[in-house]
Amino acid sequence: MFGYIVRRTLYMIPTLVAVSFVSFLMLLLYERYTGTYVDQFRFNPTVSEETVERLEQSLGLDLPWYERYFRWMLGIFVTTDAIDPVTGERWQVWSLQPVSLPFTSLQIPLPVWKPYFGESFQYQRSVTELLAQYLPYTILMTIPVFLFIWIVAIPIGIYSATHQYSAGDHALTFLGFLGLSIPNFFLALIVIYVLAGPLDVGQYCWDRADVGRYCLGVGGIFYEKYIGLGGIWPWQWNWGKFLDYLWHLWPVVLVLGTSSLAGLIRIMRGQLLDILGSNYVQTARAKGLAERIVIWKHAVRNAINPMISIFGQSLQFLISGALVTAIVLNIPTVELLYYQSLLNKDEYLILTILTFFAVVLLVGNLIADILLALVDPRIRYD
Amino acid sequence: MIERFRNRRVAARSVRTPTAEEPRARRGRPASGLPRDPEEGTELRYEEPLSQTQLIWRRFRRHRLGMLGTGVVLFLFLLAAFADFIGPYGSGAVHRRFSYAPPTPIRFVHEGKFVGPFVYGIVRTRDPVTFETIYTEDRTKIYPIKFFVRGDSYKLLGLFETNIHLFGTGEPPDSPGQVFLFGTDIWGRDLFTRTLIGGRISLLIGPASVLIALLIGSFVGGISGYFGRWVDMFLQRVLEVLQSFPTLPLLLALSAILPPNLPNVWRVIGIILIFGGIGWTGLARVLRGQFLALREVEFTLAARALGASPLRIIFKHLLPNTMSYLIVSATLAIPGLIIAEATLSFLGLGIKEPLTSWGELLSDAQDWAALSTYPWLMIPGIFIVVAVLAFNFMGDALRDAVDPHSRG
């Protein structure tokens, strides 16, 4: 098992190199057909030609493409000549940093990896910093949705399959179809409209300053007052911030979770129905086993396995869904950053985030395979 | 099941029996020269053996939701094809005086008398406090809705130049008597007409890109599965890299490459190519598996022994065997593509003005203020949902119908 994980992880490396290279090729096409970030200043009369050239040089856009790609790769794994904005010195990709051991006051020097992904043209900051700033929001937004859909989908799928063709099953199937058919962004529009419009639950948060009413949890992920309060991670929050988080979370869960939820319910129902129709379930029933045991020990146990293998795919849907949801609900996630960087031709940001998404998907697939191996004793890896 | 089996048995026997003077009996008609069935004691009926296509069609017809979905899809295609005729205005017709006019109510009763369908004139006023534009009805004058009325000229189906619209008031664009079924946008363009016209691109992109994906997918999957070894190795690695990208971000990145000054037709073609160019991976993977199994089957060996070229074997012998799978997965891929197109256009990276699609129309509603004040801008979204639902039902029914294990 351990050998398998190591092999798979090593195997990911060439795939990721290929992914980043394909992304880079796309960027070159993008430059070729729509111009670079610097090109927008070229026809601007208030910007002199020298400035444009200086900008081009400082951003490294005048280098040949292979050198740009090579430097980008080098910056991630080996070294870079960029300046660290925090320390003001050269960016150290590898450095020895004192790391405190947990539960002790001991500090030992450990090599710390701080990859340099290039600089964002638009924000004039390193991509690493930007990612570090936006990533927590993605995690705060995605993980609860992920948990929610899996915790809710499996019981509903089981209910739907065991009560096939009942009124409840029909209703759930219909809702499932509807959930699959509503585009994420349209659902987001409806949620915003219905809750903040006719129902008039409150104000649209980020739109107005504190007006004395408790505002509706649509838009953003924190109320203004809480954004700077405490840290970004839940264990650094106070009670008020946590409640505020929940209040902003539920529209996200509603919008982002619906389509994935509907898909998962349908798959779970189908799997369980397949298994309920198989011979060994009939045998189990013929033996006189209690229906509870037949379903939970014989059927569900086997229907879960294919669900785990689609775990990786559901990450894929979550990323795509989160992209739209974050834009409509204005949540500062990595997906929103990606969208903005596409509009701003912020090349290293695009390159890094696309590669980052690929890492997430590949790791998700790996985790799914490992889980499957743990759950299903029939699977062997050699 | 049993019934079908019996039919087949009878059909097989009857192949020997027909004589020259006996006309080929149609289904269900008793034919004389046949022996009696000992079990039922009735005369055996000669039944034309059903072809695979007929069997599929019979099973498909029984799927009520599937038939409904197919009907809705056909209806939407008709609406899109005759959009200029059904819509009362030209797709770009601007009504300067009716920016963001709400949907016009269609009335039948004027001052207690039934006068047939008509609209009241739209009056534009301003709220004295908020300076908001308010549209009210002028209840003194009626504008009857006429059928086959003359209006903006267009080319019906791109062929005949005409200016007859299905309905409308026939008033000039400045007149207060306008019929905006779904309201108007910021330029005062009729949303109803634009929704119908937008359906053209929304409905075109799905099937067209599925076709491209099918072509690439069957080609790559076929070659990969047929040749195996290093060709397969190489193509599988390519697939793996492509599948490591999340779909929507990749679509966004690729459509951002399309130059902003691209001519309209090329933008649509470009988007179709992008969708097709990404969508083939899953298809190729499954096809490869099927081909790996099929290439060991006797008929492939026979074809190879006869000296058929690999491409001939792939396209003539192997691909037809996977046809039902291909058709079903193509149908089931369309809804996702419609949603993807709508999402892309909604984010401003797909279809752009002056072209229009359902997603592009919805991008006007992206602004929160516009959404709360002009909720009718969301109507095109209902069309997306209906179209996607219909395609889903159709695909589901098709999947059940081509499955040889399902009952029918």
Side-chain angles (χ1 to χ4, degrees):
Chain A
M1 187 68 194
F2 180 73
Y4 173 76
I5 297 174
V6 171
R7 207 149 20 96
R8 280 284 301 265
T9 315
L10 287 178
Y11 196 68
M12 267 164 58
I13 294 171
T15 313
L16 281 176
V17 172
V19 162
S20 69
F21 189 67
V22 171
S23 311
F24 189 74
L25 286 184
M26 280 199 300
L27 280 185
L28 289 178
L29 280 176
Y30 189 30
E31 274 178 22
R32 168 88 176 65
Y33 289 111
T34 56
T36 59
Y37 176 75
V38 178
D39 282 342
Q40 59 183 308
F41 301 112
R42 246 182 248 286
F43 305 105
N44 189 340
T46 58
V47 183
S48 72
E49 234 167 85
E50 291 81 51
T51 319
V52 170
E53 259 166 45
R54 199 148 16 90
L55 193 62
E56 196 162 39
Q57 258 174 18
S58 71
L59 297 178
L61 288 172
D62 55 337
L63 296 171
W65 64 271
Y66 47 87
E67 200 176 333
R68 280 167 60 195
Y69 181 67
F70 188 66
R71 275 170 185 248
W72 183 74
M73 285 295 260
L74 218 59
I76 299 175
F77 295 111
V78 190
T79 178
T80 174
D81 46 10
I83 303 296
D84 194 328
V86 181
T87 57
E89 293 162 15
R90 235 185 79 184
W91 186 290
Q92 298 284 321
V93 177
W94 293 98
S95 57
L96 281 179
Q97 299 265 329
V99 176
S100 55
L101 290 176
F103 311 114
T104 58
S105 54
L106 270 177
Q107 284 199 333
I108 52 163
L110 280 177
V112 171
W113 178 43
K114 195 170 153 204
Y116 181 74
F117 294 111
E119 195 184 339
S120 153
F121 304 162
Q122 181 76 16
Y123 296 90
Q124 302 281 313
R125 289 166 65 196
S126 70
V127 171
T128 318
E129 259 184 278
L130 278 171
L131 274 184
Q133 186 191 331
Y134 281 74
L135 194 58
Y137 284 98
T138 300
I139 294 172
L140 284 179
M141 178 174 137
T142 319
I143 287 190
V145 176
F146 198 73
L147 291 178
F148 171 79
I149 57 176
W150 281 87
I151 290 171
V152 172
I154 289 177
I156 292 184
I158 293 171
Y159 171 85
S160 218
T162 50
H163 298 74
Q164 198 190 5
Y165 301 136
S166 68
D169 177 40
H170 278 303
L172 283 169
T173 308
F174 178 73
L175 280 181
F177 259 120
L178 204 62
L180 277 179
S181 304
I182 298 185
N184 263 318
F185 70 90
F186 188 52
L187 190 62
L189 289 184
I190 293 176
V191 166
I192 293 181
Y193 176 70
V194 171
L195 295 182
L199 287 188
D200 197 22
V201 189
Q203 305 283 328
Y204 197 38
C205 277
W206 48 271
D207 214 27
R208 309 204 183 162
D210 193 356
V211 284
R213 290 166 76 181
Y214 201 69
C215 77
L216 177 69
V218 179
I221 204 146
F222 290 119
Y223 193 36
E224 273 173 27
K225 161 169 110 182
Y226 289 111
I227 288 177
L229 193 74
I232 184 70
W233 300 110
W235 52 86
Q236 299 162 324
W237 298 348
N238 60 19
W239 188 238
K241 187 163 182 172
F242 183 69
L243 282 183
D244 184 58
Y245 167 65
L246 289 185
W247 180 239
H248 282 84
L249 189 65
W250 69 266
V252 178
V253 172
L254 184 67
V255 170
L256 188 49
T258 310
S259 58
S260 311
L261 185 67
L264 281 183
I265 291 176
R266 248 179 87 181
I267 297 169
M268 181 70 204
R269 176 178 180 270
Q271 291 294 345
L272 193 55
L273 277 179
D274 270 1
I275 285 174
L276 284 176
S278 65
N279 291 335
Y280 71 86
V281 169
Q282 204 175 4
T283 312
R285 283 195 179 126
K287 280 196 300 189
L289 288 182
E291 188 65 15
R292 181 172 47 86
I293 293 177
V294 172
I295 287 174
W296 289 97
K297 280 199 96 162
H298 291 245
V300 171
R301 187 70 183 73
N302 282 302
I304 289 283
N305 293 345
M307 295 295 284
I308 292 173
S309 53
I310 62 159
F311 170 89
Q313 285 170 35
S314 67
L315 270 183
Q316 146 97 317
F317 286 114
L318 274 188
I319 291 182
S320 295
L323 181 76
V324 186
T325 315
I327 293 167
V328 180
L329 296 183
N330 199 34
I331 300 165
T333 61
V334 174
E335 287 88 355
L336 184 68
L337 189 65
Y338 175 73
Y339 175 65
Q340 286 168 348
S341 65
L342 265 182
L343 297 182
N344 296 332
K345 304 177 202 246
D346 211 335
E347 299 183 20
Y348 292 112
L349 208 47
I350 303 177
L351 182 59
T352 310
I353 299 181
L354 258 184
T355 315
F356 168 75
F357 284 153
V359 172
V360 173
L361 288 191
L362 286 172
V363 171
N365 278 334
L366 178 62
I367 293 176
D369 284 351
I370 293 170
L371 281 180
L372 196 60
L374 290 177
V375 171
D376 193 341
R378 286 170 302 186
I379 292 176
R380 285 179 169 209
Y381 296 106
D382 20 56
Chain B
M1 270 313 257
I2 294 168
E3 195 182 31
R4 192 152 31 112
F5 175 66
R6 190 182 296 147
N7 288 344
R8 198 179 298 148
R9 184 165 52 108
V10 174
R13 202 186 295 161
S14 64
V15 170
R16 282 176 264 118
T17 42
T19 49
E21 61 274 5
E22 186 185 294
R24 273 171 80 86
R26 247 173 268 118
R27 252 179 95 189
R29 194 202 286 177
S32 43
L34 292 170
R36 284 170 171 276
D37 188 336
E39 290 158 43
E40 287 179 23
T42 53
E43 211 172 6
L44 272 181
R45 287 145 198 266
Y46 172 77
E47 282 196 19
E48 191 90 44
L50 290 175
S51 73
Q52 195 59 31
T53 327
Q54 282 168 319
L55 279 173
I56 289 174
W57 171 236
R58 194 168 76 177
R59 284 191 292 246
F60 185 76
R61 247 182 356 203
R62 295 205 181 148
H63 206 293
R64 254 180 281 153
L65 271 180
M67 285 306 280
L68 179 75
T70 316
V72 171
V73 166
L74 288 178
F75 179 66
L76 285 173
F77 270 107
L78 275 180
L79 278 187
F82 294 97
D84 321 89
F85 170 66
I86 298 167
Y89 301 97
S91 68
V94 171
H95 301 85
R96 272 169 212 286
R97 295 183 52 205
F98 304 110
S99 162
Y100 287 130
T104 326
I106 299 210
R107 304 184 181 275
F108 295 89
V109 182
H110 178 60
E111 290 171 353
K113 264 188 304 184
F114 180 83
V115 285
F118 70 93
V119 291
Y120 287 120
I122 306 168
V123 186
R124 180 177 157 151
T125 49
R126 275 197 192 278
D127 189 307
V129 183
T130 60
F131 292 108
E132 220 176 335
T133 312
I134 301 171
Y135 291 97
T136 48
E137 288 179 321
D138 173 15
R139 298 224 168 190
T140 52
K141 192 174 175 211
I142 67 168
Y143 297 89
I145 290 174
K146 300 170 201 151
F147 290 93
F148 302 105
V149 73
R150 292 196 181 273
D152 303 305
S153 63
Y154 61 94
K155 267 191 165 172
L156 186 66
L157 298 174
L159 296 173
F160 321 103
E161 184 87 30
T162 174
N163 61 357
I164 295 177
H165 293 261
L166 179 63
F167 67 96
T169 54
E171 298 282 326
D174 283 347
S175 152
Q178 304 289 345
V179 48
F180 303 122
L181 283 186
F182 293 171
T184 63
D185 66 0
I186 186 170
W187 308 110
R189 291 177 297 191
D190 178 37
L191 198 59
F192 177 67
T193 312
R194 286 175 66 76
T195 305
L196 296 187
I197 296 210
R200 286 183 180 167
I201 288 179
S202 294
L203 291 173
L204 169 78
I205 282 184
S209 23
V210 157
L211 212 63
I212 305 261
L214 273 183
L215 283 179
I216 307 178
S218 53
F219 190 75
V220 175
I223 286 183
S224 185
Y226 182 79
F227 289 107
R229 282 190 278 201
W230 68 268
V231 180
D232 183 39
M233 272 287 279
F234 174 73
L235 288 173
Q236 288 306 305
R237 293 296 87 76
V238 173
L239 266 181
E240 216 158 88
V241 170
L242 277 179
Q243 286 189 329
S244 310
F245 286 106
T247 324
L248 188 61
L250 186 61
L251 282 177
L252 283 178
L254 284 174
S255 49
I257 292 176
L258 296 177
N261 52 354
L262 207 63
N264 291 338
V265 180
W266 282 102
R267 174 162 284 276
V268 177
I269 292 177
I271 286 180
I272 290 174
L273 287 180
I274 288 171
F275 279 26
I278 289 181
W280 59 271
T281 49
L283 210 73
R285 183 151 275 192
V286 180
L287 269 187
R288 167 187 170 264
Q290 296 196 348
F291 272 40
L292 278 177
L294 277 177
R295 71 173 181 160
E296 306 300 334
V297 180
E298 282 83 357
F299 67 81
T300 322
L301 292 176
R304 208 179 305 158
L306 285 170
S309 71
L311 276 184
R312 189 186 160 82
I313 295 177
I314 291 175
F315 284 103
K316 273 268 180 206
H317 297 272
L318 301 186
L319 209 55
N321 276 295
T322 55
M323 220 47 190
S324 59
Y325 167 77
L326 282 184
I327 292 172
V328 170
S329 54
T331 317
L332 284 172
I334 291 177
L337 285 164
I338 293 180
I339 290 187
E341 184 276 325
T343 310
L344 223 60
S345 306
F346 174 75
L347 296 179
L349 284 166
I351 300 297
K352 289 178 185 172
E353 293 263 2
L355 289 174
T356 186
S357 76
W358 292 331
E360 195 273 328
L361 288 172
L362 276 175
S363 67
D364 289 343
Q366 198 175 8
D367 176 21
W368 151 246
L371 185 64
S372 61
T373 334
Y374 320 114
W376 54 88
L377 292 180
M378 287 203 288
I379 293 176
I382 299 169
F383 279 74
I384 300 178
V385 177
V386 169
V388 170
L389 262 180
F391 269 111
N392 266 329
F393 286 148
M394 197 169 108
D396 254 30
L398 206 57
R399 182 176 50 195
D400 290 351
V402 300
D403 180 9
H405 304 296
S406 75
R407 286 151 195 245

